[in-house]
């Protein structure tokens, strides 16, 4: 975990049906990190200031800049000023055809849609996974994710993502941006050589097309969410052979795609 402050206490007027008053409340920190790639400005990511190295590695892999951690010669993060400097072993030309200097916010919006067809089409491949899971295991993993997120309990202001086996949570990250949380998982797996093809992603937020594409790039064959999917995400899930499960709550869930990986009693 980064040494940067990830929450701050601020006074807030709290109002209930029968009383009101000022109290201190924990607020999640929003932090801009600008990535320089071979001394050229590449992108600014707005994120939670924790696990920044993992996020940068995962982001570069998700964008198709690198395929493995070994391609990075040096990665230095200046936390005080919000800069990440990445030197690659290879020369990289940031062609306007594929990359552009851009600001990537904590929300999903137009800033990423223009990048979708170039980078994602090159890096998102159909998932090859034989992992299966039962509905009971899906619900257990979702409960484990929710119970393990200290930052969410403090602030209610972050998304959570975890890499799991059918039986347990292996890695868990939080961020104000749901795509950032997935990038942190991806970066951790690349840096530490953790296999993902036999794993499951468990996620707190909506399964958007961007989230689905990141899951495919990570290589996990199953993504579980307590929230809803979008229609484009489900189209992509079918194309990329990824099992998408949503609305995991109150001992119920919806299986939208590639249902063969869900073992029914």
């Amino acid at each position: 975990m980064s040494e940067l402050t990830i929450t701050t206490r601020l006074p807030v007027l709290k109002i209930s049906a029968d009383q009101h008053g000022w109290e201190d409340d924990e607020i999640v920190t929003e932090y801009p990190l600008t990535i320089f790639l071979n001394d050229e400005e590449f992108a600014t990511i707005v994120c939670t200031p924790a696990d920044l190295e993992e996020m940068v590695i995962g982001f570069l892999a998700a964008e198709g800049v690198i395929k493995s951690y070994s391609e990075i010669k040096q990665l230095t993060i200046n936390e005080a000023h919000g800069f990440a400097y990445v030197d690659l072993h290879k020369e990289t030309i940031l062609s306007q055809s594929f990359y552009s200097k851009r600001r990537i916010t904590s929300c999903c919006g137009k800033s990423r849609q223009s990048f979708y067809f170039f980078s994602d089409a090159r890096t998102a491949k159909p998932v090859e996974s034989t992992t299966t899971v039962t509905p009971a295991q899906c619900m257990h993993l979702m409960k484990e994710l929710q119970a393990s997120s200290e930052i969410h309990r403090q602030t209610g202001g972050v998304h959570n993502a975890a890499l799991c086996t059918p039986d347990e949570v292996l890695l868990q990250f939080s961020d104000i941006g749901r795509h950032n949380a997935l990038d942190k998982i991806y970066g951790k797996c690349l840096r530490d050589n953790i296999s993902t093809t036999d794993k499951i992603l468990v996620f707190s937020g909506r399964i958007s097309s961007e989230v689905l594409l990141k899951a495919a790039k990570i290589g996990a064959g199953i993504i579980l969410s307590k929230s809803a999917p979008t229609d484009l995400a489900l189209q992509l899930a079918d194309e990329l052979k990824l099992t998408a499960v949503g609305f995991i709550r109150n001992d119920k869930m919806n299986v939208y795609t590639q249902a063969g990986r869900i073992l029914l009693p």
Side-chain angles (χ1 to χ4, degrees):
M1 185 72 80
S2 171
E3 295 180 357
L4 287 174
T5 301
I6 57 177
T7 65
T8 186
R9 296 190 67 84
L10 294 174
V12 61
L13 179 61
K14 295 191 174 183
I15 301 173
S16 63
D18 55 355
Q19 62 180 359
H20 64 272
W22 287 92
E23 298 180 22
D24 282 349
D25 196 20
E26 292 281 353
I27 308 297
V28 70
T29 299
E30 191 169 7
Y31 172 88
L33 180 71
T34 298
I35 299 173
F36 288 85
L37 188 61
N38 289 346
D39 295 323
E40 185 173 349
E41 185 177 344
F42 181 59
T44 296
I45 303 173
V46 180
C47 61
T48 299
D51 311 297
L52 297 177
E53 181 176 308
E54 290 89 342
M55 185 184 69
V56 170
I57 296 167
F59 172 74
L60 293 178
E63 302 293 351
V65 177
I66 62 172
K67 294 182 179 179
S68 69
Y69 178 62
S70 63
E71 294 180 40
I72 296 177
K73 182 178 181 180
Q74 184 175 18
L75 195 168
T76 304
I77 296 178
N78 184 327
E79 295 183 343
H81 295 92
F83 296 128
Y85 301 97
V86 183
D87 293 324
L88 302 181
H89 288 289
K90 62 183 179 180
E91 291 187 8
T92 300
I93 300 174
L94 303 184
S95 168
Q96 291 297 321
S97 299
F98 294 102
Y99 309 112
S100 62
K101 187 193 303 183
R102 60 209 190 279
R103 184 176 182 86
I104 298 174
T105 69
S106 58
C107 300
C108 297
K110 292 182 178 179
S111 60
R112 298 185 68 83
Q113 290 173 0
S114 61
F115 199 58
Y116 164 78
F117 293 105
F118 296 114
S119 173
D120 295 330
R122 293 183 301 139
T123 56
K125 307 298 182 184
V127 173
E128 297 181 6
S129 173
T130 59
T131 300
T132 58
V133 66
T134 67
Q137 288 173 317
C138 293
M139 294 171 192
H140 170 72
L141 291 174
M142 183 58 64
K143 290 176 182 177
E144 286 291 302
L145 175 68
Q146 293 176 302
S148 66
S149 177
E150 181 180 351
I151 302 175
H152 187 269
R153 287 197 301 275
Q154 288 177 307
T155 67
V158 295
H159 289 284
N160 308 307
L163 186 74
C164 310
T165 68
D167 298 310
E168 63 178 336
V169 173
L170 301 177
L171 307 171
Q172 186 268 327
F173 292 96
S174 299
D175 200 278
I176 56 171
R178 50 183 174 266
H179 43 82
N180 295 339
L182 291 170
D183 282 339
K184 290 175 180 181
I185 287 179
Y186 199 6
K188 171 73 172 176
C189 291
L190 288 173
R191 189 187 64 188
D192 296 349
N193 198 27
I194 299 171
S195 173
T196 58
T197 56
D198 58 343
K199 302 300 190 302
I200 299 164
L201 285 173
V202 186
F203 190 60
S204 65
R206 182 180 71 252
I207 305 178
S208 64
S209 58
E210 178 187 43
V211 165
L212 193 284
L213 285 163
K214 283 189 178 287
K217 293 172 187 178
I218 290 170
I222 302 171
I223 182 167
L224 311 177
S225 174
K226 71 173 184 178
S227 300
T230 67
D231 62 339
L232 179 55
L234 296 183
Q235 292 175 38
L236 291 168
D238 255 338
E239 292 175 11
L240 296 170
K241 309 301 181 185
L242 199 149
T243 301
V245 182
F247 287 113
I248 304 177
R249 56 182 77 169
N250 301 321
D251 294 324
K252 296 180 181 179
M253 64 187 218
N254 295 344
V255 182
Y256 295 95
T257 59
Q258 304 294 319
R261 293 193 181 99
I262 308 298
L263 298 180
L264 298 178

